[in-house]
Amino acid sequence: MTDDERPVGDDGPAEDGRATSDSPATDGGRRPLPADREEPVGRPVVRADPAVTGDRADEAVGFDPEDPDSVAEAADTVRAFSENTVGDEDNVYMLRGAAACAALVRGVGSYKAAAERAGGDVSVAFIRKWARVHDLPQAVRRYVARGRIAPTAAKHIARVAGPDRFDLAWAVLDGDLTVREVRRVASEVNDGRPVGEALAERGVRFGRVELRLSPDQYRELRRRASLENRPPGDIVDDALDSYFD
């Protein structure tokens, strides 16, 4: 059986309608972090959130892979998505197209069948790439919807698995990586190179983030760090350990 003919449960969303997780991320060894989609395939969790998409939340379209009519709508959406270049800069539009791709694959059972159902010039590669974007964890997809991570970069982030997905996504935010750099890093990581090494070569020091604190908190942070002979970052790291636990 080829990858194109493989049922979705073997290379895509799981049989219960949720995404698979081949290598779950870990949070400092304390607990697993979801490196893949947790919500049902096709549900517009991010697109329907007014805090992310504003007034456009009312326009959010969901796709139910168990509903034949919804699968038909997904097929039409995928074909239109593949043919329409007008929406290339519209991140919310791109996420809807990704959702349609994922739901269509789930509904018909394989990437090949999904491409045939969509018709036109829709390819297996096109559907696979965008379905994987839909499979990204919500924390990453929210940055895509906000316009902080380009959908074209998200396609390459989705190519890597586990905690590397988060590392590469956050490097886009904090390291200003271009789409071309994201693509190259993703390829190197999939070839076995540690993501931190690949990012460092491009000047990204993973783990560095600029924070804005209130004057009182900043003053106290500096005072504590001096008294304890520690870098301020260590104090913040300890505080976040307690907060996240």
Side-chain angles (χ1 to χ4, degrees), residues 11 13 30 50 56 117 123 136 158 173-174:
D11 186 17
R30 294 192 301 272
R56 298 187 63 183
R117 179 70 180 272
S123 67
L136 286 169
L173 300 178
D174 299 324

Side-chain angles (χ1 to χ4, degrees), residues 189-209:
V189 169
N190 283 333
D191 286 340
R193 189 179 192 187
V195 65
E197 182 180 300
L199 292 175
E201 184 177 288
R202 292 160 175 84
V204 178
R205 298 179 63 183
F206 189 77
R208 293 177 64 90
V209 60

